Amino acid sequence: MSIENAARLVPMMFRAQIVDRCQLQRIPNPRENRESDILPWAREWTQEVYPELPITHGEVREEKYQINWRMISNSGVDDTIIRPVIGARGWPYYPGSGMKGVFRRACTKDQSDRYCGEKKSKNDYEPGILRFHGGYPIDDSWQDRLVDIAHPQQSKQVGVEGRGSAFAMISLYQPTLRFGISSTIDLDQAEWDEIWKIWDKAIKKGIGGRISSGYGQTNTRSETPLIYRCQLKGQGQAARLLDGTGEFRPNIFRAALRGHALRIFGGLTDAISAQRLVGELFGSIERGGLEGLLSLNFIEREVILGTFAEGRRYEQPTYAATGEVNWHVTKELEQEHRLALKKLVTGLTHFSMIFGGFGKSWRRADHRLFFEDYYSDNNKPLIGCHWQWADDLTLQEDRLWHLYKLEQIQPRIDKFRQAALTWMELQGSQPKTSSGWRESWHPDRVQVWGRTAEDKDHSIAIDWLHGSYCNPSTIKGSQLTGKMGTVGRIWHRMYPVIALGKNEANPQQPIVRRRNQFIELFTIFPDIGIPQSQPFLKFLKEEQNDFTKVWGH
């Protein structure tokens, strides 16, 4: 047997992380027509795991907690891949050291000294009375959907210089974990109740890595300070994992707000300042890593996964999701900063809702709702998404931010930019020449056109994206509209209209109602280097198409 063939008999877990041996993080280009190394690595691992759950011995108290999406706990064993610690019997394991650290942060000073240990002098510590045994899954369902994927998009989406390659990692999907704690001395039940109350508070803040993106959180509200909350529901294209499985990923909300923060700050200041501001808000991997000021927690109410065009060329997983989006702050803030941050996050959320949505294909309205004829031949790709406010409480609390009629577009945009400007100034940044990114939000770089559609069947612009808007001209498949692998310069949105009604009981708080109308918005980032830009803008301005320019020069 040749050395090369012998090397292939070695399990992936024990191979060197080099080309032609095992590169777990790397996702092959589809043209390579081969499986990513991480898939056989995961299969080999789970095939050898003992079927019996690891057993805790001794006087260990245990409690179970459900993670609402995914959890990352990096072992640090392979420097090219994020993967969990593998504990007894081959089962993934959340280490006791990590558990102790999370627990300590939820303690008072006296609790921390008693339970976790007290520093007596420079080199002398007195151990605490508790021992943290970590957490194991309660069954083998952790083996499903192990292979996770991260796909940074800001270089494509916004036009920021940088790489946008996808990479693979291992995380546990919605595991229920059994955590163990023991004590070196006998404790009464009342004190054990207090200990588990502390752990309950600790785990609500999240465990493991990427907490600010929605990983490692339970299906309850975090006890960290809440800055903004809203109820949303939407439908669109689900993310497709490496094994072809579809998944609704709550980090789409963080990705949307981060991207729009770059766009708005990029229209107010230079690129370096804009990226610094966004990194401080959402976290950054620059200069050794920076924890963001904002943390996302999504509480799922209902998620229905489906399949579009099953068995055909354009088969695609889909979602219909409803849930509560919560944004928390990770640090204490002065009142002025807290109020400014609340306005900024509220504004970014409404900006996302007014101009697009969340997740894949957010730049287009969902064609299944507004362009049903597009799918008449059953051989078209799924395009777009549709999001709306899910409850009356969100509508009532945010009534000063909602869009009620077309004439409010300009003041709303100005309000979003002012919220960003106020936050900038509080962080010591002054307005400067805009960043020059493709989608930086500045009136010299973007135009917003709009009209009111009486119902979902009265979209005008959606047809222009797929055919001639003014015979014999077309923008279909051009740099203006984009195509597969190319980000275009047009956003199209059908925003559900909301109305204010009189409240006889309390005239100061009008009643917010939903209407059947939609505000149709066409957002364009024109460029004189794109041949279709000027003719199309001329068409919008001169033809009787019902659209009015509501923002931009």
Side-chain angles (χ1 to χ4, degrees):
M1 180 182 295
S2 68
I3 294 177
E4 184 64 28
N5 288 335
R8 296 190 182 283
L9 296 177
V10 177
M12 287 277 185
M13 189 172 288
F14 304 104
R15 295 188 192 181
Q17 292 291 311
I18 59 175
V19 178
D20 295 329
R21 286 293 183 266
C22 182
Q23 291 184 294
L24 294 180
Q25 194 180 56
R26 180 174 178 270
I27 298 175
N29 189 296
R31 292 189 295 271
E32 296 181 48
N33 194 29
R34 73 177 186 86
E35 187 177 49
S36 176
D37 288 342
I38 199 168
L39 294 174
W41 185 95
R43 287 195 299 268
E44 291 173 356
W45 170 27
T46 54
Q47 287 168 1
E48 298 301 324
V49 172
Y50 280 55
E52 301 87 2
L53 278 68
I55 299 173
T56 304
H57 298 281
E59 296 297 322
V60 178
R61 303 291 184 106
E62 296 178 331
E63 292 289 344
K64 300 174 185 177
Y65 290 83
Q66 167 85 47
I67 302 299
N68 71 340
W69 178 40
R70 287 185 173 271
M71 188 194 76
I72 292 175
S73 177
N74 191 21
S75 68
V77 173
D78 296 314
D79 60 4
T80 62
I81 184 73
I82 295 174
R83 71 166 178 87
V85 175
I86 297 178
R89 301 175 182 266
W91 286 61
Y93 169 63
Y94 183 74
S97 58
M99 188 179 175
K100 180 178 179 180
V102 172
F103 184 92
R104 183 190 287 273
R105 288 195 292 272
C107 289
T108 64
K109 176 64 167 61
D110 291 342
Q111 289 171 335
S112 176
D113 291 345
R114 174 170 171 78
Y115 296 138
C116 302
E118 181 181 4
K119 187 175 183 179
K120 292 294 188 180
S121 63
K122 184 175 181 180
N123 296 310
D124 184 28
Y125 288 83
E126 180 178 314
I129 65 170
L130 295 185
R131 300 294 178 264
F132 297 89
H133 298 263
Y136 281 97
I138 64 169
D139 55 37
D140 62 3
S141 63
W142 62 268
Q143 299 181 18
D144 299 330
R145 302 192 185 191
L146 268 177
V147 179
D148 196 358
I149 187 170
H151 197 181
Q153 290 282 303
Q154 71 181 32
S155 60
K156 285 186 176 181
Q157 298 279 345
V158 184
V160 181
E161 292 297 326
R163 299 180 63 186
S165 300
F167 59 90
M169 56 188 177
I170 296 287
S171 66
L172 304 186
Y173 180 75
Q174 295 184 341
T176 297
L177 302 177
R178 184 187 64 202
F179 295 94
I181 303 176
S182 64
S183 174
T184 59
I185 63 174
D186 289 335
L187 302 175
D188 59 29
Q189 186 58 46
E191 186 161 10
W192 275 113
D193 291 342
E194 181 64 24
I195 288 168
W196 285 112
K197 185 177 179 180
I198 295 171
W199 176 245
D200 186 64
K201 177 182 177 182
I203 198 172
K204 283 181 179 179
K205 296 181 180 180
I207 59 173
R210 303 197 174 198
I211 294 171
S212 63
S213 297
Y215 283 79
Q217 298 181 0
T218 58
N219 204 30
T220 55
R221 294 193 186 100
S222 170
E223 294 194 3
T224 53
L226 180 71
I227 200 75
Y228 178 68
R229 178 180 68 204
C230 64
Q231 299 273 354
L232 301 177
K233 65 178 178 180
Q235 65 179 54
Q237 303 178 37
R240 190 195 301 272
L241 303 179
L242 288 180
D243 63 359
T245 304
E247 180 177 298
F248 177 75
R249 299 173 65 83
N251 58 358
I252 61 176
F253 302 109
R254 180 177 181 271
L257 263 65
R258 184 187 183 105
H260 290 320
L262 276 171
R263 292 177 178 92
I264 293 177
F265 284 126
L268 295 170
T269 188
D270 62 273
I272 294 176
S273 298
Q275 289 179 305
R276 177 183 61 80
L277 288 162
V278 173
E280 291 170 352
L281 285 169
F282 296 95
S284 171
I285 61 173
E286 302 296 330
R287 298 185 298 276
L290 174 68
E291 180 186 14
L293 186 57
L294 293 170
S295 176
L296 168 70
N297 174 235
F298 178 74
I299 300 177
E300 177 183 308
R301 301 304 184 204
E302 181 181 47
V303 173
I304 301 173
L305 294 174
T307 303
F308 172 82
E310 186 172 3
R312 298 194 294 273
R313 176 185 177 187
Y314 292 111
E315 181 175 319
Q316 173 72 35
T318 64
Y319 68 81
T322 303
E324 181 177 290
V325 179
N326 296 284
W327 287 98
H328 299 265
V329 289
T330 59
K331 303 173 186 176
E332 292 293 330
L333 296 175
E334 297 178 4
Q335 182 69 5
E336 183 182 15
H337 287 70
R338 182 180 176 84
L339 291 175
L341 183 59
K342 178 179 175 63
K343 287 184 178 180
L344 177 61
V345 175
T346 305
L348 288 171
T349 303
H350 281 258
F351 186 95
S352 300
M353 287 289 286
I354 289 173
F355 292 105
F358 306 93
K360 298 179 69 174
S361 201
W362 64 265
R363 284 175 168 80
R364 296 290 184 268
D366 193 321
H367 284 38
R368 293 170 296 176
L369 293 175
F370 304 107
F371 194 20
E372 297 175 5
D373 291 346
Y374 179 74
Y375 298 118
S376 59
D377 63 0
N378 296 318
N379 193 30
K380 298 287 188 180
L382 182 60
I383 296 177
C385 69
H386 183 68
W387 285 86
Q388 55 191 1
W389 308 103
D391 73 325
D392 292 338
L393 180 61
T394 298
L395 293 176
Q396 189 66 41
E397 288 181 343
D398 286 4
R399 64 185 183 278
L400 298 180
W401 291 86
H402 288 301
L403 185 63
Y404 304 104
K405 53 187 178 180
L406 190 63
E407 292 77 13
Q408 291 179 312
I409 288 286
Q410 179 174 338
R412 288 294 179 268
I413 294 175
D414 293 341
K415 189 174 184 178
F416 301 150
R417 298 181 83 226
Q418 182 58 51
L421 185 60
T422 300
W423 180 256
M424 279 175 51
E425 292 173 344
L426 287 174
Q427 305 310 304
S429 290
Q430 298 302 317
K432 299 177 183 177
T433 303
S434 66
S435 65
W437 296 329
R438 181 184 62 242
E439 292 186 352
S440 56
W441 202 268
H442 187 279
D444 289 340
R445 303 188 65 89
V446 58
Q447 294 185 19
V448 179
W449 296 75
R451 60 179 288 271
T452 300
E454 290 305 315
D455 56 47
K456 71 181 184 65
D457 297 323
H458 286 92
S459 168
I460 293 177
I462 198 167
D463 191 44
W464 299 343
L465 304 172
H466 301 280
S468 295
Y469 66 90
C470 182
N471 193 42
S473 301
T474 183
I475 56 175
K476 178 182 177 181
S478 69
Q479 288 177 283
L480 200 58
T481 55
K483 52 187 175 181
M484 191 68 70
T486 302
V487 177
R489 292 173 171 267
I490 288 179
W491 304 353
H492 176 244
R493 168 69 158 139
M494 296 288 284
Y495 179 84
V497 173
I498 299 160
L500 286 177
K502 289 185 178 180
N503 185 348
E504 301 294 343
N506 187 354
Q508 300 301 317
Q509 289 196 352
I511 298 172
V512 182
R513 296 190 178 96
R514 305 170 194 272
R515 300 177 65 180
N516 293 326
Q517 290 181 326
F518 294 84
I519 295 177
E520 183 167 25
L521 294 172
F522 223 45
T523 305
I524 308 172
F525 299 85
D527 189 302
I528 58 174
I530 296 177
Q532 297 84 5
S533 288
Q534 298 311 310
F536 185 65
L537 290 176
K538 182 180 179 182
F539 162 74
L540 282 174
K541 182 178 181 180
E542 297 181 355
E543 298 296 323
Q544 298 298 314
N545 53 56
D546 204 25
F547 271 87
T548 302
K549 185 167 71 172
V550 291
W551 201 79
H553 296 160

